[in-house]
Amino acid sequence: MIVIAALLIGAVIGWFRAARMGGGRSDKLQYAAAHAMGLAVLGLFLTVFLTRMG
């Protein structure tokens, strides 16, 4: 669940960062994908950590 939430939050953050910098649609999609993947990986590590801790 944490991974899905992190993925969606990352996509939104990436989209708005590209929009703020004046990027086109492809720039927004690329930023959204990159941020989504990055935060999804962090969410995965957090999920594994929390599962292992208890």
mmCIF file of all heavy atoms in Angstrom:
data_model
loop_
_atom_site.group_PDB
_atom_site.id
_atom_site.type_symbol
_atom_site.label_atom_id
_atom_site.label_comp_id
_atom_site.label_asym_id
_atom_site.label_seq_id
_atom_site.Cartn_x
_atom_site.Cartn_y
_atom_site.Cartn_z
ATOM 1 N N MET A 1 0.822 -1.197 0.000
ATOM 2 C CA MET A 1 0.000 0.000 0.000
ATOM 3 C C MET A 1 0.863 1.257 0.000
ATOM 4 O O MET A 1 0.526 2.225 -0.651
ATOM 5 C CB MET A 1 -0.915 -0.056 1.225
ATOM 6 C CG MET A 1 -1.991 0.939 1.195
ATOM 7 S SD MET A 1 -3.159 0.500 -0.079
ATOM 8 C CE MET A 1 -4.304 1.790 0.086
ATOM 9 N N ILE A 2 1.948 1.201 0.735
ATOM 10 C CA ILE A 2 2.857 2.346 0.788
ATOM 11 C C ILE A 2 3.478 2.590 -0.587
ATOM 12 O O ILE A 2 3.639 3.741 -1.006
ATOM 13 C CB ILE A 2 3.949 2.126 1.853
ATOM 14 C CG1 ILE A 2 3.327 2.087 3.241
ATOM 15 C CG2 ILE A 2 5.010 3.214 1.776
ATOM 16 C CD1 ILE A 2 4.296 1.710 4.341
ATOM 17 N N VAL A 3 3.767 1.503 -1.305
ATOM 18 C CA VAL A 3 4.399 1.628 -2.616
ATOM 19 C C VAL A 3 3.467 2.330 -3.597
ATOM 20 O O VAL A 3 3.887 3.213 -4.345
ATOM 21 C CB VAL A 3 4.817 0.240 -3.157
ATOM 22 C CG1 VAL A 3 5.388 0.349 -4.548
ATOM 23 C CG2 VAL A 3 5.803 -0.417 -2.223
ATOM 24 N N ILE A 4 2.188 1.959 -3.580
ATOM 25 C CA ILE A 4 1.224 2.563 -4.498
ATOM 26 C C ILE A 4 1.041 4.044 -4.170
ATOM 27 O O ILE A 4 0.998 4.891 -5.066
ATOM 28 C CB ILE A 4 -0.115 1.816 -4.438
ATOM 29 C CG1 ILE A 4 0.074 0.381 -4.925
ATOM 30 C CG2 ILE A 4 -1.179 2.529 -5.263
ATOM 31 C CD1 ILE A 4 -1.107 -0.516 -4.700
ATOM 32 N N ALA A 5 0.947 4.374 -2.902
ATOM 33 C CA ALA A 5 0.801 5.767 -2.499
ATOM 34 C C ALA A 5 2.034 6.581 -2.898
ATOM 35 O O ALA A 5 1.909 7.697 -3.418
ATOM 36 C CB ALA A 5 0.570 5.862 -0.996
ATOM 37 N N ALA A 6 3.211 6.015 -2.687
ATOM 38 C CA ALA A 6 4.440 6.710 -3.056
ATOM 39 C C ALA A 6 4.528 6.903 -4.559
ATOM 40 O O ALA A 6 4.968 7.957 -5.035
ATOM 41 C CB ALA A 6 5.652 5.931 -2.547
ATOM 42 N N LEU A 7 4.081 5.912 -5.323
ATOM 43 C CA LEU A 7 4.093 6.010 -6.777
ATOM 44 C C LEU A 7 3.200 7.151 -7.248
ATOM 45 O O LEU A 7 3.603 7.975 -8.079
ATOM 46 C CB LEU A 7 3.624 4.685 -7.379
ATOM 47 C CG LEU A 7 3.697 4.593 -8.883
ATOM 48 C CD1 LEU A 7 4.830 3.663 -9.261
ATOM 49 C CD2 LEU A 7 2.390 4.089 -9.430
ATOM 50 N N LEU A 8 2.005 7.233 -6.702
ATOM 51 C CA LEU A 8 1.073 8.293 -7.103
ATOM 52 C C LEU A 8 1.555 9.675 -6.669
ATOM 53 O O LEU A 8 1.473 10.646 -7.429
ATOM 54 C CB LEU A 8 -0.312 8.009 -6.528
ATOM 55 C CG LEU A 8 -1.022 6.782 -7.095
ATOM 56 C CD1 LEU A 8 -2.320 6.528 -6.343
ATOM 57 C CD2 LEU A 8 -1.280 6.947 -8.570
ATOM 58 N N ILE A 9 2.081 9.763 -5.465
ATOM 59 C CA ILE A 9 2.597 11.043 -4.977
ATOM 60 C C ILE A 9 3.787 11.486 -5.827
ATOM 61 O O ILE A 9 3.901 12.657 -6.201
ATOM 62 C CB ILE A 9 2.970 10.948 -3.492
ATOM 63 C CG1 ILE A 9 1.709 10.794 -2.643
ATOM 64 C CG2 ILE A 9 3.775 12.157 -3.037
ATOM 65 C CD1 ILE A 9 1.980 10.435 -1.198
ATOM 66 N N GLY A 10 4.656 10.556 -6.163
ATOM 67 C CA GLY A 10 5.801 10.877 -7.010
ATOM 68 C C GLY A 10 5.385 11.372 -8.382
ATOM 69 O O GLY A 10 5.969 12.310 -8.924
ATOM 70 N N ALA A 11 4.370 10.741 -8.962
ATOM 71 C CA ALA A 11 3.891 11.161 -10.280
ATOM 72 C C ALA A 11 3.333 12.581 -10.231
ATOM 73 O O ALA A 11 3.605 13.394 -11.120
ATOM 74 C CB ALA A 11 2.832 10.196 -10.785
ATOM 75 N N VAL A 12 2.592 12.881 -9.189
ATOM 76 C CA VAL A 12 2.015 14.229 -9.058
ATOM 77 C C VAL A 12 3.121 15.261 -8.855
ATOM 78 O O VAL A 12 3.102 16.336 -9.479
ATOM 79 C CB VAL A 12 0.989 14.268 -7.901
ATOM 80 C CG1 VAL A 12 0.572 15.688 -7.573
ATOM 81 C CG2 VAL A 12 -0.218 13.412 -8.246
ATOM 82 N N ILE A 13 4.086 14.944 -8.009
ATOM 83 C CA ILE A 13 5.195 15.870 -7.769
ATOM 84 C C ILE A 13 5.972 16.127 -9.057
ATOM 85 O O ILE A 13 6.287 17.271 -9.398
ATOM 86 C CB ILE A 13 6.129 15.330 -6.665
ATOM 87 C CG1 ILE A 13 5.438 15.384 -5.311
ATOM 88 C CG2 ILE A 13 7.437 16.112 -6.619
ATOM 89 C CD1 ILE A 13 6.193 14.672 -4.206
ATOM 90 N N GLY A 14 6.274 15.066 -9.793
ATOM 91 C CA GLY A 14 7.003 15.213 -11.043
ATOM 92 C C GLY A 14 6.246 16.031 -12.064
ATOM 93 O O GLY A 14 6.820 16.870 -12.763
ATOM 94 N N TRP A 15 4.957 15.792 -12.179
ATOM 95 C CA TRP A 15 4.123 16.528 -13.144
ATOM 96 C C TRP A 15 4.138 18.026 -12.833
ATOM 97 O O TRP A 15 4.335 18.855 -13.706
ATOM 98 C CB TRP A 15 2.694 15.989 -13.105
ATOM 99 C CG TRP A 15 1.800 16.608 -14.144
ATOM 100 C CD1 TRP A 15 1.112 17.765 -14.042
ATOM 101 C CD2 TRP A 15 1.531 16.087 -15.447
ATOM 102 N NE1 TRP A 15 0.410 18.002 -15.189
ATOM 103 C CE2 TRP A 15 0.645 16.982 -16.070
ATOM 104 C CE3 TRP A 15 1.944 14.949 -16.125
ATOM 105 C CZ2 TRP A 15 0.178 16.775 -17.358
ATOM 106 C CZ3 TRP A 15 1.459 14.747 -17.403
ATOM 107 C CH2 TRP A 15 0.599 15.642 -18.013
ATOM 108 N N PHE A 16 3.970 18.369 -11.557
ATOM 109 C CA PHE A 16 3.924 19.778 -11.184
ATOM 110 C C PHE A 16 5.293 20.448 -11.282
ATOM 111 O O PHE A 16 5.378 21.633 -11.609
ATOM 112 C CB PHE A 16 3.332 19.959 -9.791
ATOM 113 C CG PHE A 16 1.828 19.822 -9.776
ATOM 114 C CD1 PHE A 16 1.220 18.847 -9.008
ATOM 115 C CD2 PHE A 16 1.036 20.649 -10.533
ATOM 116 C CE1 PHE A 16 -0.163 18.701 -9.001
ATOM 117 C CE2 PHE A 16 -0.344 20.525 -10.539
ATOM 118 C CZ PHE A 16 -0.944 19.539 -9.770
ATOM 119 N N ARG A 17 6.368 19.698 -11.015
ATOM 120 C CA ARG A 17 7.707 20.274 -11.179
ATOM 121 C C ARG A 17 7.972 20.627 -12.632
ATOM 122 O O ARG A 17 8.509 21.694 -12.939
ATOM 123 C CB ARG A 17 8.777 19.312 -10.681
ATOM 124 C CG ARG A 17 8.916 19.315 -9.182
ATOM 125 C CD ARG A 17 10.136 18.562 -8.751
ATOM 126 N NE ARG A 17 11.343 19.280 -9.120
ATOM 127 C CZ ARG A 17 12.555 18.768 -9.051
ATOM 128 N NH1 ARG A 17 12.725 17.536 -8.646
ATOM 129 N NH2 ARG A 17 13.596 19.490 -9.386
ATOM 130 N N ALA A 18 7.602 19.735 -13.547
ATOM 131 C CA ALA A 18 7.802 19.999 -14.972
ATOM 132 C C ALA A 18 6.912 21.143 -15.440
ATOM 133 O O ALA A 18 7.339 21.976 -16.252
ATOM 134 C CB ALA A 18 7.525 18.743 -15.788
ATOM 135 N N ALA A 19 5.697 21.202 -14.925
ATOM 136 C CA ALA A 19 4.791 22.278 -15.312
ATOM 137 C C ALA A 19 5.309 23.630 -14.829
ATOM 138 O O ALA A 19 5.215 24.632 -15.546
ATOM 139 C CB ALA A 19 3.398 22.018 -14.745
ATOM 140 N N ARG A 20 5.876 23.651 -13.621
ATOM 141 C CA ARG A 20 6.408 24.892 -13.071
ATOM 142 C C ARG A 20 7.591 25.408 -13.895
ATOM 143 O O ARG A 20 7.805 26.607 -14.010
ATOM 144 C CB ARG A 20 6.835 24.681 -11.625
ATOM 145 C CG ARG A 20 7.157 25.977 -10.911
ATOM 146 C CD ARG A 20 7.472 25.817 -9.427
ATOM 147 N NE ARG A 20 7.153 24.524 -8.861
ATOM 148 C CZ ARG A 20 8.018 23.785 -8.163
ATOM 149 N NH1 ARG A 20 9.246 24.206 -7.966
ATOM 150 N NH2 ARG A 20 7.653 22.630 -7.657
ATOM 151 N N MET A 21 8.345 24.473 -14.493
ATOM 152 C CA MET A 21 9.499 24.863 -15.298
ATOM 153 C C MET A 21 9.121 25.127 -16.750
ATOM 154 O O MET A 21 9.984 25.398 -17.578
ATOM 155 C CB MET A 21 10.577 23.788 -15.224
ATOM 156 C CG MET A 21 11.154 23.646 -13.836
ATOM 157 S SD MET A 21 12.631 22.627 -13.707
ATOM 158 C CE MET A 21 12.179 21.147 -14.532
ATOM 159 N N GLY A 22 7.847 25.038 -17.076
ATOM 160 C CA GLY A 22 7.388 25.361 -18.415
ATOM 161 C C GLY A 22 7.556 24.241 -19.425
ATOM 162 O O GLY A 22 7.625 24.495 -20.626
ATOM 163 N N GLY A 23 7.585 23.022 -18.972
ATOM 164 C CA GLY A 23 7.778 21.889 -19.865
ATOM 165 C C GLY A 23 6.515 21.530 -20.626
ATOM 166 O O GLY A 23 5.404 21.830 -20.209
ATOM 167 N N GLY A 24 6.712 20.870 -21.749
ATOM 168 C CA GLY A 24 5.588 20.393 -22.549
ATOM 169 C C GLY A 24 5.032 19.108 -21.972
ATOM 170 O O GLY A 24 5.425 18.647 -20.894
ATOM 171 N N ARG A 25 4.110 18.524 -22.722
ATOM 172 C CA ARG A 25 3.453 17.317 -22.223
ATOM 173 C C ARG A 25 4.433 16.162 -22.041
ATOM 174 O O ARG A 25 4.365 15.427 -21.053
ATOM 175 C CB ARG A 25 2.343 16.917 -23.170
ATOM 176 C CG ARG A 25 1.525 15.776 -22.649
ATOM 177 C CD ARG A 25 0.339 15.499 -23.517
ATOM 178 N NE ARG A 25 -0.553 14.569 -22.851
ATOM 179 C CZ ARG A 25 -1.524 13.941 -23.439
ATOM 180 N NH1 ARG A 25 -1.763 14.154 -24.698
ATOM 181 N NH2 ARG A 25 -2.280 13.114 -22.757
ATOM 182 N N SER A 26 5.340 15.999 -22.985
ATOM 183 C CA SER A 26 6.307 14.902 -22.874
ATOM 184 C C SER A 26 7.250 15.116 -21.690
ATOM 185 O O SER A 26 7.642 14.151 -21.020
ATOM 186 C CB SER A 26 7.105 14.744 -24.164
ATOM 187 O OG SER A 26 7.817 15.925 -24.455
ATOM 188 N N ASP A 27 7.614 16.355 -21.424
ATOM 189 C CA ASP A 27 8.448 16.646 -20.255
ATOM 190 C C ASP A 27 7.706 16.305 -18.965
ATOM 191 O O ASP A 27 8.280 15.720 -18.040
ATOM 192 C CB ASP A 27 8.839 18.124 -20.224
ATOM 193 C CG ASP A 27 9.756 18.516 -21.370
ATOM 194 O OD1 ASP A 27 10.596 17.682 -21.753
ATOM 195 O OD2 ASP A 27 9.613 19.644 -21.874
ATOM 196 N N LYS A 28 6.441 16.657 -18.911
ATOM 197 C CA LYS A 28 5.634 16.356 -17.723
ATOM 198 C C LYS A 28 5.524 14.864 -17.504
ATOM 199 O O LYS A 28 5.648 14.376 -16.372
ATOM 200 C CB LYS A 28 4.242 16.978 -17.857
ATOM 201 C CG LYS A 28 4.249 18.490 -17.819
ATOM 202 C CD LYS A 28 2.874 19.043 -18.072
ATOM 203 C CE LYS A 28 2.905 20.547 -18.174
ATOM 204 N NZ LYS A 28 1.591 21.113 -18.524
ATOM 205 N N LEU A 29 5.313 14.113 -18.595
ATOM 206 C CA LEU A 29 5.211 12.660 -18.469
ATOM 207 C C LEU A 29 6.529 12.049 -18.030
ATOM 208 O O LEU A 29 6.558 11.123 -17.211
ATOM 209 C CB LEU A 29 4.759 12.053 -19.800
ATOM 210 C CG LEU A 29 3.309 12.312 -20.183
ATOM 211 C CD1 LEU A 29 3.050 11.828 -21.604
ATOM 212 C CD2 LEU A 29 2.366 11.652 -19.204
ATOM 213 N N GLN A 30 7.630 12.559 -18.569
ATOM 214 C CA GLN A 30 8.943 12.021 -18.196
ATOM 215 C C GLN A 30 9.257 12.316 -16.736
ATOM 216 O O GLN A 30 9.727 11.436 -16.006
ATOM 217 C CB GLN A 30 10.029 12.599 -19.087
ATOM 218 C CG GLN A 30 11.405 12.049 -18.803
ATOM 219 C CD GLN A 30 12.464 12.618 -19.723
ATOM 220 O OE1 GLN A 30 12.174 13.448 -20.572
ATOM 221 N NE2 GLN A 30 13.686 12.183 -19.543
ATOM 222 N N TYR A 31 9.009 13.537 -16.300
ATOM 223 C CA TYR A 31 9.251 13.888 -14.901
ATOM 224 C C TYR A 31 8.351 13.084 -13.980
ATOM 225 O O TYR A 31 8.782 12.623 -12.919
ATOM 226 C CB TYR A 31 9.006 15.391 -14.681
ATOM 227 C CG TYR A 31 10.243 16.242 -14.835
ATOM 228 C CD1 TYR A 31 10.853 16.408 -16.067
ATOM 229 C CD2 TYR A 31 10.794 16.896 -13.758
ATOM 230 C CE1 TYR A 31 11.980 17.186 -16.213
ATOM 231 C CE2 TYR A 31 11.921 17.684 -13.882
ATOM 232 C CZ TYR A 31 12.515 17.827 -15.108
ATOM 233 O OH TYR A 31 13.632 18.597 -15.252
ATOM 234 N N ALA A 32 7.077 12.920 -14.378
ATOM 235 C CA ALA A 32 6.146 12.146 -13.555
ATOM 236 C C ALA A 32 6.615 10.703 -13.425
ATOM 237 O O ALA A 32 6.598 10.132 -12.330
ATOM 238 C CB ALA A 32 4.743 12.207 -14.152
ATOM 239 N N ALA A 33 7.064 10.107 -14.524
ATOM 240 C CA ALA A 33 7.521 8.716 -14.487
ATOM 241 C C ALA A 33 8.777 8.571 -13.634
ATOM 242 O O ALA A 33 8.891 7.633 -12.839
ATOM 243 C CB ALA A 33 7.784 8.220 -15.904
ATOM 244 N N ALA A 34 9.723 9.485 -13.794
ATOM 245 C CA ALA A 34 10.976 9.401 -13.041
ATOM 246 C C ALA A 34 10.735 9.567 -11.539
ATOM 247 O O ALA A 34 11.265 8.798 -10.726
ATOM 248 C CB ALA A 34 11.951 10.454 -13.532
ATOM 249 N N HIS A 35 9.934 10.542 -11.175
ATOM 250 C CA HIS A 35 9.643 10.753 -9.760
ATOM 251 C C HIS A 35 8.828 9.596 -9.185
ATOM 252 O O HIS A 35 9.038 9.191 -8.032
ATOM 253 C CB HIS A 35 8.902 12.077 -9.559
ATOM 254 C CG HIS A 35 9.788 13.273 -9.631
ATOM 255 N ND1 HIS A 35 10.282 13.754 -10.811
ATOM 256 C CD2 HIS A 35 10.273 14.080 -8.660
ATOM 257 C CE1 HIS A 35 11.032 14.817 -10.566
ATOM 258 N NE2 HIS A 35 11.050 15.028 -9.252
ATOM 259 N N ALA A 36 7.892 9.078 -9.983
ATOM 260 C CA ALA A 36 7.076 7.947 -9.510
ATOM 261 C C ALA A 36 7.950 6.733 -9.237
ATOM 262 O O ALA A 36 7.792 6.062 -8.208
ATOM 263 C CB ALA A 36 5.998 7.625 -10.543
ATOM 264 N N MET A 37 8.879 6.442 -10.145
ATOM 265 C CA MET A 37 9.753 5.275 -9.935
ATOM 266 C C MET A 37 10.658 5.468 -8.724
ATOM 267 O O MET A 37 10.862 4.538 -7.934
ATOM 268 C CB MET A 37 10.590 5.021 -11.182
ATOM 269 C CG MET A 37 9.803 4.425 -12.317
ATOM 270 S SD MET A 37 10.828 3.943 -13.705
ATOM 271 C CE MET A 37 11.226 5.521 -14.414
ATOM 272 N N GLY A 38 11.197 6.666 -8.583
ATOM 273 C CA GLY A 38 12.074 6.933 -7.445
ATOM 274 C C GLY A 38 11.368 6.782 -6.115
ATOM 275 O O GLY A 38 11.867 6.118 -5.198
ATOM 276 N N LEU A 39 10.201 7.378 -6.004
ATOM 277 C CA LEU A 39 9.473 7.282 -4.738
ATOM 278 C C LEU A 39 8.903 5.883 -4.514
ATOM 279 O O LEU A 39 8.774 5.450 -3.366
ATOM 280 C CB LEU A 39 8.362 8.326 -4.672
ATOM 281 C CG LEU A 39 8.828 9.747 -4.350
ATOM 282 C CD1 LEU A 39 7.638 10.689 -4.238
ATOM 283 C CD2 LEU A 39 9.648 9.801 -3.091
ATOM 284 N N ALA A 40 8.581 5.163 -5.588
ATOM 285 C CA ALA A 40 8.112 3.793 -5.432
ATOM 286 C C ALA A 40 9.212 2.902 -4.860
ATOM 287 O O ALA A 40 8.950 2.051 -4.005
ATOM 288 C CB ALA A 40 7.621 3.241 -6.759
ATOM 289 N N VAL A 41 10.441 3.106 -5.298
ATOM 290 C CA VAL A 41 11.560 2.334 -4.757
ATOM 291 C C VAL A 41 11.758 2.659 -3.283
ATOM 292 O O VAL A 41 11.952 1.763 -2.454
ATOM 293 C CB VAL A 41 12.851 2.589 -5.560
ATOM 294 C CG1 VAL A 41 14.063 2.012 -4.865
ATOM 295 C CG2 VAL A 41 12.721 2.014 -6.958
ATOM 296 N N LEU A 42 11.689 3.928 -2.937
ATOM 297 C CA LEU A 42 11.803 4.305 -1.525
ATOM 298 C C LEU A 42 10.647 3.720 -0.702
ATOM 299 O O LEU A 42 10.850 3.271 0.426
ATOM 300 C CB LEU A 42 11.828 5.827 -1.380
ATOM 301 C CG LEU A 42 13.095 6.520 -1.876
ATOM 302 C CD1 LEU A 42 12.949 8.038 -1.750
ATOM 303 C CD2 LEU A 42 14.304 6.043 -1.111
ATOM 304 N N GLY A 43 9.445 3.722 -1.265
ATOM 305 C CA GLY A 43 8.301 3.128 -0.588
ATOM 306 C C GLY A 43 8.460 1.626 -0.407
ATOM 307 O O GLY A 43 8.056 1.074 0.613
ATOM 308 N N LEU A 44 9.081 0.970 -1.387
ATOM 309 C CA LEU A 44 9.331 -0.458 -1.275
ATOM 310 C C LEU A 44 10.308 -0.749 -0.145
ATOM 311 O O LEU A 44 10.093 -1.656 0.656
ATOM 312 C CB LEU A 44 9.874 -0.999 -2.591
ATOM 313 C CG LEU A 44 10.190 -2.484 -2.647
ATOM 314 C CD1 LEU A 44 8.929 -3.300 -2.447
ATOM 315 C CD2 LEU A 44 10.849 -2.809 -3.962
ATOM 316 N N PHE A 45 11.389 0.032 -0.072
ATOM 317 C CA PHE A 45 12.345 -0.140 1.016
ATOM 318 C C PHE A 45 11.684 0.119 2.368
ATOM 319 O O PHE A 45 11.939 -0.594 3.336
ATOM 320 C CB PHE A 45 13.558 0.768 0.844
ATOM 321 C CG PHE A 45 14.527 0.284 -0.197
ATOM 322 C CD1 PHE A 45 14.997 1.136 -1.175
ATOM 323 C CD2 PHE A 45 14.999 -1.019 -0.175
ATOM 324 C CE1 PHE A 45 15.888 0.701 -2.130
ATOM 325 C CE2 PHE A 45 15.895 -1.473 -1.121
ATOM 326 C CZ PHE A 45 16.346 -0.615 -2.112
ATOM 327 N N LEU A 46 10.844 1.129 2.440
ATOM 328 C CA LEU A 46 10.138 1.431 3.687
ATOM 329 C C LEU A 46 9.205 0.279 4.072
ATOM 330 O O LEU A 46 9.135 -0.098 5.243
ATOM 331 C CB LEU A 46 9.353 2.729 3.556
ATOM 332 C CG LEU A 46 8.571 3.176 4.781
ATOM 333 C CD1 LEU A 46 9.498 3.431 5.953
ATOM 334 C CD2 LEU A 46 7.750 4.404 4.462
ATOM 335 N N THR A 47 8.522 -0.285 3.099
ATOM 336 C CA THR A 47 7.639 -1.417 3.375
ATOM 337 C C THR A 47 8.416 -2.615 3.897
ATOM 338 O O THR A 47 8.001 -3.257 4.873
ATOM 339 C CB THR A 47 6.872 -1.806 2.087
ATOM 340 O OG1 THR A 47 6.125 -0.674 1.649
ATOM 341 C CG2 THR A 47 5.941 -2.970 2.348
ATOM 342 N N VAL A 48 9.521 -2.927 3.261
ATOM 343 C CA VAL A 48 10.345 -4.057 3.722
ATOM 344 C C VAL A 48 10.886 -3.796 5.118
ATOM 345 O O VAL A 48 10.869 -4.674 5.977
ATOM 346 C CB VAL A 48 11.509 -4.328 2.726
ATOM 347 C CG1 VAL A 48 12.509 -5.311 3.289
ATOM 348 C CG2 VAL A 48 10.953 -4.814 1.397
ATOM 349 N N PHE A 49 11.337 -2.577 5.357
ATOM 350 C CA PHE A 49 11.863 -2.211 6.679
ATOM 351 C C PHE A 49 10.788 -2.375 7.763
ATOM 352 O O PHE A 49 11.041 -2.963 8.821
ATOM 353 C CB PHE A 49 12.397 -0.784 6.649
ATOM 354 C CG PHE A 49 12.882 -0.297 7.977
ATOM 355 C CD1 PHE A 49 14.087 -0.735 8.501
ATOM 356 C CD2 PHE A 49 12.123 0.600 8.713
ATOM 357 C CE1 PHE A 49 14.533 -0.295 9.731
ATOM 358 C CE2 PHE A 49 12.559 1.057 9.952
ATOM 359 C CZ PHE A 49 13.771 0.609 10.465
ATOM 360 N N LEU A 50 9.605 -1.845 7.495
ATOM 361 C CA LEU A 50 8.535 -1.927 8.485
ATOM 362 C C LEU A 50 8.072 -3.365 8.711
ATOM 363 O O LEU A 50 7.742 -3.743 9.834
ATOM 364 C CB LEU A 50 7.350 -1.060 8.055
ATOM 365 C CG LEU A 50 7.587 0.448 8.086
ATOM 366 C CD1 LEU A 50 6.382 1.178 7.527
ATOM 367 C CD2 LEU A 50 7.908 0.923 9.485
ATOM 368 N N THR A 51 8.085 -4.165 7.667
ATOM 369 C CA THR A 51 7.706 -5.565 7.798
ATOM 370 C C THR A 51 8.726 -6.333 8.639
ATOM 371 O O THR A 51 8.360 -7.151 9.482
ATOM 372 C CB THR A 51 7.564 -6.214 6.421
ATOM 373 O OG1 THR A 51 6.605 -5.489 5.662
ATOM 374 C CG2 THR A 51 7.127 -7.655 6.526
ATOM 375 N N ARG A 52 9.985 -6.044 8.410
ATOM 376 C CA ARG A 52 11.039 -6.736 9.142
ATOM 377 C C ARG A 52 11.107 -6.324 10.610
ATOM 378 O O ARG A 52 11.514 -7.112 11.467
ATOM 379 C CB ARG A 52 12.408 -6.420 8.516
ATOM 380 C CG ARG A 52 12.588 -6.978 7.157
ATOM 381 C CD ARG A 52 13.315 -8.189 7.289
ATOM 382 N NE ARG A 52 13.770 -8.874 6.129
ATOM 383 C CZ ARG A 52 14.820 -9.628 6.200
ATOM 384 N NH1 ARG A 52 15.546 -9.677 7.287
ATOM 385 N NH2 ARG A 52 15.162 -10.361 5.185
ATOM 386 N N MET A 53 10.736 -5.073 10.898
ATOM 387 C CA MET A 53 10.837 -4.568 12.258
ATOM 388 C C MET A 53 9.691 -5.051 13.153
ATOM 389 O O MET A 53 9.772 -4.908 14.368
ATOM 390 C CB MET A 53 10.878 -3.035 12.272
ATOM 391 C CG MET A 53 12.120 -2.468 11.632
ATOM 392 S SD MET A 53 13.645 -3.107 12.326
ATOM 393 C CE MET A 53 13.688 -2.266 13.874
ATOM 394 N N GLY A 54 8.651 -5.552 12.565
ATOM 395 C CA GLY A 54 7.659 -6.004 13.497
ATOM 396 C C GLY A 54 6.363 -6.319 12.945
ATOM 397 O O GLY A 54 5.430 -6.701 13.472
#
